């Protein structure tokens, strides 16, 4: 962590003699700080993608603006159900989760935040709810900030949770299946897939058209630039399926007489 004086921190956030806080009642307020007060501020981010699950739009805007100024990328969800949907759509480096969001019970007491490659979670919680977070905090990559919180503390704890973690690989993804077009690599969870160029083109075409059935002719045209005999694409799909579907659920499916589909 870098030690900065409060006026430097305020300048970074565009604040004048104030440090903004989020109260337990959902209100955004301010703490007056003296010019001689020093605070501990985390190093800037490295483009990590954070999911902010916060219901109050003013608080969501405050967190989004501050985190983006610190070089993080931010996606916002307003409810527990939206948070689950965002986590199913792609992988995040970290989740900031306000335990007071509506329909929090839809998260199943946090169990949906624990896939094989689950991101660390920073809970934003009133003091009286901390007891319910103990099981989550005992599982490893989780921490909390009590309400009301100071932005500087949120930034510091985000930095600690992300320290030593490589940013999530960027590219098209579906569930725990992810591709990186810059390096032409693919992963199923933490397992790297050893794909040939034709296998990568096939898997990418299926992935970007997830939940749609693609005919053999469509796939052949994309992979080889021409329509070839069905046996060639059948063998190619079979090889890719063997590499992708070692884990459950299976993602590559055959629709006999129609083609192939990637999805659950």
């Amino acid at each position: 962590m870098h030690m900065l004086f409060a006026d430097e921190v305020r300048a970074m956030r565009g604040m004048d003699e104030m440090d903004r806080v989020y109260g337990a009642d959902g209100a955004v307020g301010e703490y007056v700080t003296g010019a001689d007060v020093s605070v501990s501020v985390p190093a800037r981010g490295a483009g990590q993608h954070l999911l902010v699950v916060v219901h109050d739009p003013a608080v969501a805007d405050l967190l989004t603006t501050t985190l983006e100024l610190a070089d993080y990328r931010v996606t916002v969800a307003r409810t527990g159900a939206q948070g689950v949907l965002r986590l199913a759509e792609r992988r995040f480096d970290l989740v900031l989760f306000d335990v007071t969001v509506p329909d929090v019970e839809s998260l199943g007491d946090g169990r949906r935040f624990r896939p094989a490659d689950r991101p660390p979670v920073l809970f934003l919680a009133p003091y009286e709810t901390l007891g319910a977070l103990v099981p989550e905090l005992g599982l490893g990559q989780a921490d909390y900030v009590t309400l009301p919180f100071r932005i500087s503390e949120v930034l510091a704890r985000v930095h600690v949770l992300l320290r030593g973690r490589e940013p999530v690989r960027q590219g098209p993804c579906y569930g725990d299946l992810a591709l990186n077009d810059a390096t032409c690599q693919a992963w199923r969870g933490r397992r790297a897939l050893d794909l040939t160029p034709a296998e990568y083109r096939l898997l990418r075409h299926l992935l970007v058209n997830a939940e749609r059935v693609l005919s053999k002719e469509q796939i052949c045209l994309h992979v080889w630039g021409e329509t070839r005999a069905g046996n060639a694409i059948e063998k190619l799909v079979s090889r890719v399926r063997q590499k992708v579907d070692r884990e459950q659920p299976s993602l590559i499916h055959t629709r006999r007489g129609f083609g192939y589909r990637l999805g659950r």
Side-chain angles (χ1 to χ4, degrees), residues 228-247:
R228 293 192 178 187
N231 286 343
I233 200 64
E234 288 175 5
K235 293 178 181 178
L236 184 63
V237 170
S238 177
R239 294 202 307 268
V240 172
R241 180 183 280 130
Q242 290 175 7
K243 296 178 180 181
V244 170
D245 286 344
R246 294 181 189 176
E247 293 86 1

Side-chain angles (χ1 to χ4, degrees), residues 136-156:
E136 281 286 349
L137 296 176
L139 289 171
Q141 289 283 279
D143 200 351
Y144 70 91
V145 173
T146 57
L147 302 176
F149 65 71
R150 297 185 65 161
I151 285 295
S152 56
E153 183 179 6
V154 171
L155 286 170

Side-chain angles (χ1 to χ4, degrees), residues 28 43 50 61 63 66 98 106 120 128 132 146 152 161-162 200 217 227 231 243 245 247 262:
V28 178
L50 313 186
D61 287 346
L63 288 169
T66 305
D98 179 359
S106 69
E128 60 271 18
T146 57
S152 56
L161 284 170
L162 290 174
Y200 185 89
E217 292 75 18
T227 56
N231 286 343
K243 296 178 180 181
D245 286 344
E247 293 86 1
L262 188 147

Side-chain angles (χ1 to χ4, degrees), residues 17-253:
E17 300 299 323
M18 299 289 182
D19 189 16
R20 305 187 74 178
V21 299
Y22 172 30
D25 59 355
V28 178
E30 296 173 331
Y31 281 144
V32 179
T33 58
D36 60 344
V37 177
S38 63
V39 295
S40 182
V41 183
R44 300 178 71 83
Q48 293 97 329
H49 197 172
L50 313 186
L51 174 63
V52 173
V53 186
V54 172
H55 180 62
D56 188 287
V59 176
D61 287 346
L62 170 63
L63 288 169
T64 298
T65 300
T66 305
L67 291 167
E68 288 180 345
L69 283 172
D71 290 338
Y72 297 106
R73 294 182 300 122
V74 179
T75 294
V76 176
R78 297 286 303 280
T79 66
Q82 288 181 7
V84 170
L85 180 62
R86 298 292 177 267
L87 285 169
E89 291 173 343
R90 64 169 304 139
R91 291 185 294 169
F92 293 89
D93 293 287
L94 182 140
V95 177
L96 285 86
F97 178 64
D98 179 359
V99 302
T100 67
V101 296
D103 72 346
V104 65
E105 64 278 359
S106 69
L107 296 173
D109 295 329
R111 289 184 179 87
R112 296 194 187 187
F113 278 143
R114 299 199 287 271
D117 195 28
R118 87 174 181 104
V121 181
L122 178 62
F123 292 98
L124 312 177
Y127 179 80
E128 60 271 18
T129 68
L130 294 182
L133 299 181
V134 171
E136 281 286 349
L137 296 176
L139 289 171
Q141 289 283 279
D143 200 351
Y144 70 91
V145 173
T146 57
L147 302 176
F149 65 71
R150 297 185 65 161
I151 285 295
S152 56
E153 183 179 6
V154 171
L155 286 170
R157 293 190 184 271
V158 165
H159 176 62
V160 170
L161 284 170
L162 290 174
R163 188 165 51 197
R165 291 177 60 94
E166 293 184 3
V168 168
R169 309 170 187 96
Q170 301 303 316
C173 62
Y174 183 95
D176 62 350
L177 176 65
L179 275 61
N180 186 329
D181 288 337
T183 60
C184 294
Q185 293 177 295
W187 294 264
R188 181 77 192 266
R190 294 184 179 274
R191 180 174 61 86
L193 307 180
D194 184 16
L195 302 178
T196 66
E199 290 170 351
Y200 185 89
R201 291 195 297 272
L202 166 64
L203 181 58
R204 191 185 191 286
H205 194 46
L206 289 172
L207 191 153
V208 298
N209 291 282
E211 306 295 353
R212 293 179 55 194
V213 176
L214 300 178
S215 68
K216 293 179 182 179
E217 292 75 18
Q218 288 175 310
I219 294 173
C220 286
L221 185 63
H222 180 81
V223 173
W224 289 301
E226 57 179 311
T227 56
R228 293 192 178 187
N231 286 343
I233 200 64
E234 288 175 5
K235 293 178 181 178
L236 184 63
V237 170
S238 177
R239 294 202 307 268
V240 172
R241 180 183 280 130
Q242 290 175 7
K243 296 178 180 181
V244 170
D245 286 344
R246 294 181 189 176
E247 293 86 1
Q248 293 296 321
S250 298
L251 295 180
I252 299 177
H253 309 279

